[in-house]
Amino acid sequence: MHAALKSLSHFDYAEVAHLKVEPEQEDFVDSLDSVFSELRNSPRPGLEHAFSIVASDEIVGFFVLREGAALPEWAPVNVMTLHTLCVDRAHQGNGYGRAAIKLAARWVSTNRPNVNSLMLGVNVRNVTARAVYLKSGFRDTGATHYGPSGTQNILEHKIGLGA
């Protein structure tokens, strides 16, 4: 399994519109239509970076990285945050989520060398995603945040030279 990232503009919704998650995951992932609407209307377009996850020339997933003034209120200023990571339901269970996390960490390490952590909030009810994140190098910080779909655990992935 080989995956790569493709940078997307805030107007590239059509490239990922086909992505669907399992019905039980819909509560935890914002719709891509609303994500791209927010990206297009963002006052901080240079601080929010959308990516597709590509495998064998097919887009299998998506996520957004945020930095600086685009960070959520729970994040310290010297990190980047990962949002809306989703892998299409037809491709789940094949390691693309874990590959996306490695690729995101590598992108941060290469493009933002002063950033030493990638953070995210995962809903406490989203046991599957939490397990993937923990297996992929994230650790639970012990902090929580109340988000739109309930309580989230704040996780952190240290970015090192081997990211």
Side-chain angles (χ1 to χ4, degrees), residues 118-147:
L118 182 61
M119 297 182 78
L120 59 83
V122 60
N123 192 290
V124 297
R125 296 178 291 121
N126 195 347
V127 177
T128 302
R130 180 182 165 81
V132 169
Y133 294 136
L134 293 174
K135 287 179 185 175
S136 300
F138 280 88
R139 67 167 187 83
D140 193 331
T141 65
T144 58
H145 171 74
Y146 191 79

Side-chain angles (χ1 to χ4, degrees), residues 76-158:
V77 296
N78 60 337
V79 305
M80 288 190 82
T81 54
L82 176 69
H83 302 267
T84 316
L85 173 59
C86 65
V87 174
D88 186 75
R89 63 181 169 209
H91 299 283
Q92 289 182 6
N94 294 316
Y96 294 120
R98 290 175 73 177
I101 291 165
K102 286 182 184 178
L103 291 165
R106 188 174 303 139
W107 187 94
V108 171
S109 179
T110 301
N111 295 283
R112 302 297 186 270
N114 294 330
V115 172
N116 60 9
S117 290
L118 182 61
M119 297 182 78
L120 59 83
V122 60
N123 192 290
V124 297
R125 296 178 291 121
N126 195 347
V127 177
T128 302
R130 180 182 165 81
V132 169
Y133 294 136
L134 293 174
K135 287 179 185 175
S136 300
F138 280 88
R139 67 167 187 83
D140 193 331
T141 65
T144 58
H145 171 74
Y146 191 79
S149 61
T151 303
Q152 299 179 339
N153 292 126
I154 305 303
L155 307 183
E156 179 179 32
H157 184 298
K158 292 290 187 184

